[in-house]
């Protein structure tokens, strides 16, 4: 039921024969294409009969140099308009520009059952952000997961993109990892929407970003007022000092903070930061999964203090990751 096609060494005649056979298939639920620039992107035209006739196709993945194919994005967009049964669409590291992203998102709008979009490693740009915002504003959208890891988002883009969260009734998971151009203005907007009483976000990935102490303080307020947020990846963060980490960890003591999973690996913690986390854990009875791997500045003294929190009777932890520490 899953077809992963590596076709870089297949000549056109062989591929056309393959597509002819595939057109009669109605059982494949997932198709992943690793060389979308093949034949200048015309492979999507050849696959159209399969797309149109297989109502069971749910997941379509594209990975590779689609943006380098002369008409690749256009052919893929036209193909997406020929059917409407996708549930998941991934287009990762395809060298897309803003116009490309806009065209694909507009073509996906007809797939009303679409629940997941992953655009990792592409330049979303202003036009792409506008198209995604329109999709999030669409009351008929079923989107529950959006991944924009390493998509060159800036303050303006992320502010526009997250503005519909106060009205959107479907999105549960948002990945904004690796967008280094987002500054205090952008993060302030993101965190404000996260704590909106109408936001349904449960899982947010902010790893691999630059966040200063002021932004960390805004995030702390958001966590203390986001009863639906259960998972936060805040790993590999640059720019926060001890003061910022203390403000963030204070949120864990708030009874309204419902975080069940907190990922903090590779943040360069030392004993002082870990002590602030330890003090907060002593007042937290909700957190179940804590990842502290790769924080090698913590010494024996810091771990001794931390171990005391593990004996607290109200502690809810069931999973603790301490790999690659000293």
């Amino acid at each position: 039921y899953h077809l992963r096609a590596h076709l870089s060494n297949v000549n056109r005649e062989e591929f056309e024969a393959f597509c002819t056979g595939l057109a009669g298939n109605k059982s494949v639920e997932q198709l992943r294409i690793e060389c979308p620039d093949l034949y200048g992107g015309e492979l999507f035209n050849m696959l159209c009969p399969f797309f149109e006739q297989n109502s069971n196709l749910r997941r379509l993945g594209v990975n590779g140099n689609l943006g380098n194919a002369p008409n690749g994005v256009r052919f893929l967009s036209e193909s997406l308009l020929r059917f409407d049964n996708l549930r998941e669409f991934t287009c990762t590291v395809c060298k897309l520009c803003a116009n490309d992203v806009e065209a694909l998102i507009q073509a996906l709008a007809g797939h009303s059952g679409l629940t997941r979009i992953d655009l990792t490693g592409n330049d979303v740009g202003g036009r792409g952000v506008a198209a995604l915002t329109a999709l999030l504003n669409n009351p008929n959208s079923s989107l529950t997961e959006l991944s924009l890891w390493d998509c060159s988002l800036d303050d303006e883009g992320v502010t526009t993109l997250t503005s519909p969260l106060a009205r959107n009734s479907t999105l549960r998971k948002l990945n904004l990892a690796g967008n280094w151009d987002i500054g205090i203005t952008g993060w302030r907007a993101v965190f404000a929407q996260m704590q909106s009483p109408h936001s349904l976000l449960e899982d947010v990935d902010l790893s691999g970003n630059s966040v200063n102490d002021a932004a960390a303080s805004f995030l702390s307020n958001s966590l203390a007022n986001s009863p639906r947020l259960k998972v936060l990846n805040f790993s590999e963060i640059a720019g926060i000092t001890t003061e910022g980490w203390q403000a963030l960890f204070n949120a864990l003591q708030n009874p309204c903070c419902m975080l069940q999973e907190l990922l903090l690996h590779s943040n360069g913690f030392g004993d002082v930061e870990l002590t602030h986390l330890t003090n907060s854990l002593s007042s937290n009875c909700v957190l179940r999964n804590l990842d502290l791997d790769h924080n090698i500045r913590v010494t024996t003294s810091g771990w001794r203090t931390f171990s005391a929190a593990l004996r607290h009777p109200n502690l809810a932890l069931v999973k603790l990751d301490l790999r690659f520490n000293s």
Side-chain angles (χ1 to χ4, degrees), residues 190-207:
V190 172
F191 302 150
Q193 294 301 334
M194 282 171 52
Q195 65 178 333
S196 166
H198 303 292
S199 171
L200 299 181
L201 280 179
E202 298 176 352
D203 186 330
V204 177
D205 189 339
L206 304 176
S207 61

Side-chain angles (χ1 to χ4, degrees), residues 67-144:
N68 289 344
N71 295 296
V73 173
R74 178 169 68 85
F75 290 144
L76 174 55
S77 300
E78 291 173 351
S79 298
L80 291 170
L81 291 169
R82 304 280 287 273
F83 66 112
D84 61 4
N85 42 276
L86 282 183
R87 297 294 180 269
E88 298 182 12
F89 176 76
T90 65
C91 192
T92 56
V93 199
C94 286
K95 299 184 178 179
L96 301 182
C97 66
N99 290 348
D100 296 334
V101 174
E102 178 187 41
L104 290 176
I105 298 303
Q106 289 177 346
L108 287 167
H111 296 256
S112 58
L114 191 69
T115 61
R116 179 174 183 264
I117 295 177
D118 185 348
L119 296 172
T120 293
N122 296 294
D123 187 354
V124 171
R127 297 177 71 94
V129 164
L132 286 167
T133 302
L135 183 64
L136 291 171
N137 276 322
N138 187 337
N140 295 320
S141 171
S142 302
L143 196 66
T144 61

Side-chain angles (χ1 to χ4, degrees), residues 15-29:
F15 183 72
E16 288 177 339
F18 165 77
C19 290
T20 299
L22 187 63
N25 178 278
K26 291 181 173 58
S27 63
V28 171
E29 298 176 357

